[in-house]
Amino acid sequence: MKIFKYLLFLLLILVIGAAIYIAVQPNDYTFSRSQIINAPPAVIYNKVNDYKIWPEFSPWIEKEPNAQITYNDKTVGEEAGYSWEGDDLGTGSMTTLDTNPYQSIDQQINFVEPFETESKIHWDFKPVENGTEVTWTMSGEQDFMTKMYTTFFGSVEKNTGADFERGLVKLDSLTKIDMNKYNIVINGKAQHSGGYYIYSSTSSKIDNLPFKIQEIMPKVGAYAVANNISMDGSPFIIYHEWDSKNNAVRFSTCIPTTARVITTEDDILTGQLEPFTAMKATLTGNYSYFQEAWNNLKDKIAADSTIQEAPNGPQMEVFVKDYGDNPNPSTWITEIYIAIEDI
């Protein structure tokens, strides 16, 4: 009997000791995981800011794809939210509290089952040399039940950190796939109306063409803005010479204008494009696929026995939508025109 009392007393001491140990554990927690993703901050921000995209990179939904997801009426921006219910996921919801476009997002996550708890989520999108450093942070307070759980089963970070790492890997993969989507359509014959434009001509290696365009085009656009020149459509490129053998191209970057302009700088000139008949193709997606679009269009012309490329006719690209419209390359639209004549 005495042994039984001693055992009960010892058990009581252990329970009290364990309770004290649990009680003195930190009252809050915070941890982060980061990854550099080769994409502009705005592209990644827009994905994280839209809860309808979360199932595509959520590590928890990946584990339980049949979980029931319910979206709020608003799924993007402040006060947006969604909820879930699953066998392993339990029941919970997430709400966006605050957004700082392309820089940060604050969210709140509430678990109802298997036990009630509330945590804060913070996202940072920091531009770096190779893209964007994405940091995913979770923080919250620990009540006694949470402290007891983490005492025996490991900290919140130990139980969740690997999921954050997996989520960032999936977000990286999703972003790359989305940014590389493209489509090429051969539109067929088209009439280009021509018109006046200001331009600057230069030469480049073909391999360096996209970067050279990004360097020259803003200068021409800035000249138009500084001199209050009315623009008449999307900027475009006119190609004068394309030498694949020597990896060389000569071209002009152009801004269409409503009327003839007398320029005041030696490297900004005025031109006029006469109306012409062309074969047209449309590239939707990253401009890096421009050569494939050109090759497809030239093959289409070569396969048509009734037409041929006009020897002295314009060959040009029109940038209908670009980075200034949307940082995601999959949304960019480039129209290609090759002047033709009947055989």
Side-chain angles (χ1 to χ4, degrees), residues 79-130:
E79 299 182 359
Y82 83 109
S83 58
W84 63 85
E85 184 175 351
D87 296 331
D88 297 325
L89 289 177
T91 303
S93 64
M94 180 173 282
T95 305
T96 299
L97 304 176
D98 186 53
T99 61
N100 186 4
Y102 314 143
Q103 296 182 46
S104 65
I105 298 174
D106 287 301
Q107 301 163 325
Q108 179 171 301
I109 185 169
N110 293 296
F111 292 99
V112 178
E113 294 179 354
F115 51 85
E116 278 194 65
T117 183
E118 175 186 298
S119 299
K120 293 291 192 296
I121 299 292
H122 180 77
W123 294 84
D124 270 319
F125 309 91
K126 179 183 177 183
V128 293
E129 184 178 354
N130 296 322

Side-chain angles (χ1 to χ4, degrees), residues 300-319:
K300 182 68 174 179
I301 296 172
D304 191 331
S305 60
T306 66
I307 60 173
Q308 64 181 9
E309 293 184 25
N312 299 313
Q315 298 193 6
M316 58 188 293
E317 294 170 348
V318 180
F319 302 113

